[in-house]
Amino acid sequence: MAGEAYSSLSLCLSLTVSSPFAGLTHVTCWDSCCHFRPQMAALILRPLPQTSSNFEAFPRNRLAKGTQNRPHSSRRRSASALVASASTTGATGRADGRNGNGRDGPSSAAEFGTIDDIKAALYQALTGIDKGIFGATSSKKSEVAGFVETLESRNPTPYPTDHLRDKVDGCWKLVYSTISILGSTRTKLGLRDFISLGDFFQIIDVAKEKATNVIKFNLRGLQLLSGQLTIEASYRIASKTRVDIKLERSNITPDQLMKIFEKNLDLLLAIFNPQGWLEITYVDESMRIGRDDKGNIFVLERNDDIEV
């Protein structure tokens, strides 16, 4: 018996040293040492079957798994990276973990940079998509939506309708909207060939409770003739963040442009008709963001120096 125990122990030690997993603890081998018999040696020493996996792929240290290639914690992240992380988490700056629009999110939005950082990243994301009117990729829309939501969570004016005169009154220029003119609609309106869409302005007259939208058009086929669609609407305050809007009248000038759009005027007005309600989700001295009852997003920048 002593000889058998010695043989089995020697066999187990040999197996442990020569195993490709020698760096790992093999509890089964040690627990079974005292029960081995010489006649089991052939079974124990049988070579392990080869697999397509490389032994080096096996984690040598399970605690270190997933920690490789991480940036050093003291490395400074760029504003774009900070804001991009905000867009994937729906961050909010309120201490109760909810933003001004009731969306859930973490309460540490300050880590995503300043409002100016977020605006800069938003403007960069808007480059080359012409206000989004003629469409954008789903990834681009998602990126822009993330920046918009982050700004909304940092809204410095939580009750904007209390500050219409000093925050909203004046002229604004549209820089992004989820309103889109695509496919057959764009073809019917002639916006593929000889008509191009220009700037979109909104003039808010708080004293008269009036909002005027001016959409500029350029006609390449008529010696670069310029024209515009003007939509006048009235509004009334519905809540601390919302206004109800009523369409009053519309007009297209000059007559040449009116004749071109005449057959599809209803279609054109259906796209730009502001009637319904508008939630002001962000406003400061230079930027305003709104969401309407049709699910559209509007991002505008203050532009009081331009005559419309």
Side-chain angles (χ1 to χ4, degrees):
M1 287 294 295
E4 291 182 0
Y6 177 81
S7 298
S8 61
L9 178 59
S10 299
L11 179 62
C12 187
L13 289 172
S14 176
L15 177 64
T16 304
V17 172
S18 62
S19 169
F21 298 103
L24 302 175
T25 303
H26 203 296
V27 177
T28 303
C29 177
W30 290 106
D31 287 347
S32 302
C33 277
C34 61
H35 301 296
F36 284 161
R37 297 291 187 271
Q39 58 267 32
M40 296 178 64
L43 178 61
I44 297 172
L45 292 177
R46 182 178 301 166
L48 293 173
Q50 296 296 321
T51 66
S52 58
S53 301
N54 191 326
F55 284 125
E56 291 300 317
F58 194 92
R60 295 179 182 273
N61 185 348
R62 293 182 182 273
L63 293 178
K65 186 176 181 181
T67 61
Q68 297 180 355
N69 300 324
R70 285 185 182 174
H72 194 276
S73 59
S74 63
R75 183 177 298 172
R76 183 181 181 86
R77 292 193 293 171
S78 66
S80 297
L82 291 170
V83 180
S85 63
S87 69
T88 59
T89 59
T92 167
R94 284 179 47 168
D96 60 0
R98 296 176 67 83
N99 62 32
N101 301 310
R103 298 184 181 89
D104 291 321
S107 59
S108 55
E111 69 179 286
F112 300 121
T114 67
I115 285 179
D116 286 341
D117 291 334
I118 301 168
K119 286 182 179 180
L122 172 60
Y123 278 115
Q124 183 177 2
L126 295 177
T127 302
I129 63 172
D130 193 14
K131 299 177 286 294
I133 297 292
F134 298 121
T137 63
S138 57
S139 60
K140 177 62 68 175
K141 289 180 180 178
S142 178
E143 180 185 16
V144 172
F147 298 143
V148 166
E149 290 173 6
T150 304
L151 283 171
E152 290 173 328
S153 74
R154 305 278 293 276
N155 185 11
T157 314
Y159 305 118
T161 58
D162 287 346
H163 305 276
L164 292 179
R165 187 174 295 278
D166 59 313
K167 294 290 188 179
V168 178
D169 190 77
C171 183
W172 299 82
K173 179 181 177 181
L174 182 75
V175 295
Y176 177 74
S177 174
T178 53
I179 288 178
S180 59
I181 306 175
L182 304 172
S184 61
T185 299
R186 186 175 178 183
T187 301
K188 287 180 181 179
L189 294 175
L191 294 175
R192 290 186 182 277
D193 302 318
F194 60 94
I195 303 177
S196 61
L197 183 64
D199 290 328
F200 182 125
F201 295 97
Q202 185 175 73
I203 303 96
I204 307 296
D205 188 336
V206 173
K208 297 180 180 180
E209 294 188 329
K210 178 181 177 182
T212 303
N213 292 340
V214 178
I215 299 97
K216 299 281 190 176
F217 295 94
N218 296 311
L219 285 74
R220 294 188 294 272
L222 296 175
Q223 299 179 350
L224 295 178
L225 175 68
S226 297
Q228 65 185 39
L229 165 65
T230 304
I231 300 175
E232 296 181 10
S234 59
Y235 71 85
R236 67 176 185 84
I237 295 174
S239 74
K240 294 288 187 180
T241 60
R242 181 178 296 185
V243 294
D244 291 334
I245 302 171
K246 180 182 178 182
L247 176 66
E248 297 292 346
R249 62 185 63 87
S250 64
N251 184 38
I252 296 180
T253 56
D255 291 339
Q256 295 96 318
L257 184 61
M258 179 63 185
K259 290 178 180 178
I260 292 173
F261 283 131
E262 192 170 12
K263 292 182 179 179
N264 297 296
L265 183 58
D266 291 342
L267 179 60
L268 185 65
L269 291 177
I271 295 171
F272 295 109
N273 184 358
Q275 185 158 299
W277 56 255
L278 178 74
E279 192 90 16
I280 304 173
T281 57
Y282 179 93
V283 63
D284 62 16
E285 290 73 19
S286 62
M287 180 174 284
R288 177 162 57 91
I289 300 173
R291 295 175 181 261
D292 68 9
D293 56 312
K294 306 169 188 69
N296 294 310
I297 297 173
F298 303 91
V299 180
L300 303 98
E301 62 181 10
R302 186 170 285 282
N303 211 319
D304 289 327
D305 296 332
I306 300 253
E307 290 188 7
V308 179

